[in-house]
Amino acid sequence: TQLQIMQMVPVAGKTGLAVRAARAGAEAEAERTREMAQDVRADAAMRFFDLYQADATLGLMREGRRLLGEALRAGEAMYASGSTPQAVVLRAQVELARMDEAVLRMEGMRATMASALNALAELPLDAPVGTPTLPAFPAAPPPVDSLEALALARRPMLAAGALDAAQRDLLARRTAREIWPDLTLGVIYGQRPMPDGGTDRMASFMLGFTLPLTPGSRQRQMTSEARAMHAEAVADLAAMRLETRTRIGALAAELTRTAATRRHYQTILLPELEAATGSALSGYRAGQVDLMTLLESQMGLIAARQELVRLDAETGKAWAELEMLTTMTFLAAASADGATR
């Protein structure tokens, strides 16, 4: 009867490098999990601001439809009295039909967006979603260099990329040491019965090592492959850093642009359009302005207000993406009448 126990003992620090590489890989996966959570949060914010834009646009379209209906009824009365040609009334009727079709299309889009937001929140798809309310936006974005530093230091995907590069480096160093022979330790115990009734026992200790017979065709090729994989991980990290920096710059410029455009609309364009619409309405009542001129003025004002809504939605999306890239919180929690958070 013989019992043999053997154990290979790696040398040259191979075990330590393997343990450190495995730890770096596990930490990289944890950072990717954090990045995924940030992506889901940003996705929910994008859907929320899409829903806000659809709701606000739908309200403005209904207001435009109401104004168009009132103008059409006035035009029909004027046509009956002979003061307005029939072509003007017919055109107004066509515009009203188009407006009805646009409202129906927007209502369908709104329902789709609400269903998608419910799905993301793991709610029933047909759960009621109230009217979204915009959160308070910061007065201005932080300096772009501060945003860049935050993103490069805090974005989980960049941390995962750095850990991947570190893991590949450790594995490459470990592979380069495969050319070193590993030790093999063994203990052997044996016993056998003797003719005189006794037992013959034997114990021995074994020490051995492995030699790489073909290092050029195996170990060195494995080392070259590991170094190439490390170089690939470093290149991927550089690409992710470049993409992050580029996106930070684009978002900062987007916030500056939307803020300037919004100020232009609020301080110059909207007051002028409101004044023009009021003048056209007064002129129409006095018989100095025709129906189509009034309608064009009213629709232009509503279109400008819709553009203001779009700018608000774009601003919210840009802030949400900045939160995803920097893992910072810039926006307070927004709610849809308590139905969605």
Side-chain angles (χ1 to χ4, degrees):
T1 304
Q2 186 179 76
L3 174 63
Q4 178 175 310
I5 301 175
M6 302 186 67
Q7 173 65 48
M8 187 180 69
V9 181
V11 299
K14 297 177 188 177
T15 301
L17 290 173
V19 170
R20 290 165 59 191
R23 185 179 297 115
E27 292 175 358
E29 291 304 319
E31 292 295 337
R32 289 191 182 89
T33 301
R34 289 183 57 218
E35 178 79 9
M36 186 177 298
Q38 291 293 324
D39 286 342
V40 172
R41 184 177 184 274
D43 188 19
M46 300 298 173
R47 294 176 188 272
F48 175 85
F49 287 113
D50 282 339
L51 185 63
Y52 161 78
Q53 182 178 354
D55 253 18
T57 301
L58 191 57
L60 290 171
M61 292 174 66
R62 287 169 177 162
E63 175 64 14
R65 201 263 181 217
R66 183 186 65 80
L67 294 175
L68 187 57
E70 292 178 357
L72 177 59
R73 288 190 293 272
E76 289 172 343
M78 295 175 67
Y79 169 68
S81 64
S83 57
T84 297
Q86 184 183 23
V88 173
V89 176
L90 293 175
R91 183 177 176 184
Q93 290 174 342
V94 171
E95 293 298 328
L96 185 62
R98 288 177 177 174
M99 182 65 73
D100 287 337
E101 187 271 336
V103 169
L104 290 173
R105 183 170 63 251
M106 183 57 67
E107 288 176 344
M109 293 175 62
R110 199 270 182 193
T112 301
M113 294 174 184
S115 176
L117 194 58
N118 282 331
L120 194 61
E122 296 185 353
L123 296 173
L125 297 180
D126 57 351
V129 177
T131 301
T133 302
L134 282 180
F137 295 142
V144 67
D145 56 344
S146 299
L147 290 173
E148 178 185 349
L150 284 172
L152 294 180
R154 296 171 61 96
R155 188 180 182 187
M157 184 57 70
L158 295 180
L163 288 167
D164 281 339
Q167 181 191 32
R168 298 291 176 83
D169 177 55
L170 292 168
L171 291 176
R173 291 163 57 188
R174 183 187 186 281
T175 305
R177 298 183 186 185
E178 287 293 333
I179 198 170
W180 289 82
D182 293 326
L183 294 178
T184 302
L185 303 178
V187 176
I188 303 174
Y189 171 79
Q191 65 180 31
R192 62 180 178 178
M194 300 298 292
D196 59 1
T199 302
D200 182 22
R201 293 180 174 84
M202 178 189 67
S204 61
F205 175 77
M206 183 178 66
L207 173 64
F209 55 89
T210 59
L211 287 177
L213 298 180
T214 55
S217 61
R218 185 170 182 271
Q219 280 82 2
R220 289 174 184 172
Q221 294 298 327
M222 292 172 59
T223 301
S224 298
E225 180 184 5
R227 288 173 178 167
M229 294 177 68
H230 172 245
E232 180 184 6
V234 171
D236 288 342
L237 176 59
M240 285 189 291
R241 289 173 62 88
L242 176 60
E243 184 269 336
T244 300
R245 296 179 66 241
T246 302
R247 194 58 192 151
I248 287 290
L251 290 171
E254 177 75 7
L255 287 173
T256 302
R257 180 191 67 81
T258 53
T261 306
R262 198 177 192 282
R263 284 194 300 270
H264 176 74
Y265 267 80
Q266 287 183 319
T267 60
I268 299 176
L269 190 55
L270 277 176
E272 291 179 353
L273 288 172
E274 288 170 354
T277 301
S279 176
L281 181 59
S282 299
Y284 178 71
R285 290 171 178 171
Q288 299 173 352
V289 174
D290 60 20
L291 177 61
M292 296 314 301
T293 300
L294 173 61
L295 291 179
E296 290 175 359
S297 177
Q298 291 175 335
M299 293 301 105
L301 177 59
I302 290 176
R305 289 173 176 167
Q306 289 178 347
E307 181 65 15
L308 198 60
V309 167
R310 187 187 68 82
L311 289 172
D312 285 338
E314 286 187 356
T315 299
K317 290 180 179 181
W319 280 114
E321 190 171 352
L322 276 179
E323 289 187 340
M324 185 270 291
L325 293 173
T326 63
T327 69
M328 298 290 290
T329 300
F330 297 110
L331 303 177
S335 65
D337 288 352
T340 302
R341 289 194 177 275

